[in-house]
Amino acid sequence: TQASSLDHIPTEFTVFGQTFDTHWNLHALLMISVWIVFVPLCITIMRFHKPPPSEQGIIRDVSLWHREWWFFSVHKFGLFFSMTLAVAGTAIAWIASGGFSGSVHAWFGSLTVLMGVAQIISSQMRGTRGGRYREGADPDNPDTWRGDQYDHTPKRRIFEAVHKTTGYFTLLFAFGAVGSGLMQYHMPGLTAAFILIVLFWLIVWAVYDFKGRAYDGYRVAHGYRLEHPYNKDREFL
């Protein structure tokens, strides 16, 4: 029975001499909200809601207050917010369980959060932007164009390869964490919601790809002409 299958799951925990009931349903709801709703939403906006590439790209530098960078701001600050909730939810679960339980769910969940934190840290290593037509640059003076993104330096290439690839694997681990958690503490309504939301994202991403909305980030930022270094490197792509 379900009751007997939950015998090993703590129903209360003690902190500073105070005993509290453990509401695992709230933990599950929080983590599904973070990893199956908020995080995919932030990824979707970053991947599919960039403005179409233009001749000169986005002229103003990245800023929370510049409307043309809204997709980046949502991605950045939305993931900061999501990871704060995820770390808090994980810490509470560890306290309630009396430490690391060693279950499949605990492994998936802990690795997901660790990879998520690593994503936040790696985001600070993206380097400088640069650009020929960006605000503050002189289109006739190449010395003012320099930047890790514009010149597509090895530092920038490593950042993009690691950050993007790790991000997709983090989301994959998150699905494993949620799925294994619901197998361990089954809630039919939340399980149905989890499956429906995953199918929703599958349809949304397929539709966006069909419409060709995954615009190249370099061309969006700096323009589509071949005068720009990374565009020239991909002249035949």
Side-chain angles (χ1 to χ4, degrees):
T1 66
Q2 183 177 7
S4 61
S5 68
L6 301 179
D7 288 344
H8 66 288
I9 300 177
T11 58
E12 59 182 30
F13 63 99
T14 302
V15 178
F16 301 125
Q18 296 291 320
T19 300
F20 303 91
D21 291 333
T22 305
H23 298 285
W24 291 111
N25 55 330
L26 297 181
H27 171 78
L29 181 61
L30 171 65
M31 290 311 202
I32 285 180
S33 297
V34 169
W35 291 109
I36 309 303
V37 178
F38 296 154
V39 170
L41 177 62
C42 293
I43 293 173
T44 300
I45 288 175
M46 182 65 180
R47 180 165 174 76
F48 296 113
H49 281 273
K50 294 187 288 289
S54 60
E55 188 172 358
Q56 295 185 342
I58 301 177
I59 295 175
R60 294 197 292 184
D61 275 334
V62 178
S63 172
L64 176 63
W65 313 112
H66 293 166
R67 184 174 57 187
E68 58 267 51
W69 287 106
W70 78 273
F71 65 94
F72 180 81
S73 297
V74 169
H75 180 76
K76 177 181 178 180
F77 294 107
L79 290 180
F80 281 166
F81 174 71
S82 297
M83 283 310 307
T84 300
L85 294 180
V87 170
T90 301
I92 292 172
W94 274 51
I95 293 171
S97 299
F100 182 68
S101 68
S103 66
V104 172
H105 173 66
W107 276 107
F108 266 120
S110 298
L111 287 173
T112 299
V113 173
L114 285 175
M115 293 175 72
V117 171
Q119 284 295 89
I120 298 297
I121 295 173
S122 71
S123 69
Q124 308 307 306
M125 303 175 185
R126 62 181 180 271
T128 56
R129 181 183 174 225
R132 179 172 184 175
Y133 300 107
R134 70 176 178 84
E135 193 173 55
D138 181 354
D140 298 317
N141 181 4
D143 290 338
T144 67
W145 309 347
R146 304 281 71 87
D148 290 301
Q149 185 189 37
Y150 184 71
D151 295 322
H152 208 59
T153 62
K155 175 182 178 179
R156 179 70 187 195
R157 294 202 301 272
I158 291 172
F159 160 73
E160 290 188 2
V162 172
H163 188 71
K164 292 178 181 178
T165 305
T166 304
Y168 292 132
F169 271 86
T170 302
L171 197 57
L172 180 64
F173 271 68
F175 287 170
V178 172
S180 60
L182 290 173
M183 291 176 66
Q184 180 174 301
Y185 193 93
H186 183 51
M187 289 171 280
L190 208 52
T191 300
F194 167 57
I195 294 172
L196 290 175
I197 294 171
V198 170
L199 291 175
F200 168 79
W201 287 125
L202 174 63
I203 294 170
V204 167
W205 293 340
V207 170
Y208 274 130
D209 258 322
F210 175 78
K211 292 186 173 182
R213 287 292 300 273
Y215 301 131
D216 179 78
Y218 184 90
R219 293 186 172 102
V220 168
H222 302 294
Y224 52 71
R225 299 199 306 194
L226 292 180
E227 63 184 296
H228 307 299
Y230 193 40
N231 288 346
K232 182 65 177 176
D233 290 344
R234 300 176 296 166
E235 181 176 357
F236 299 106
L237 294 179

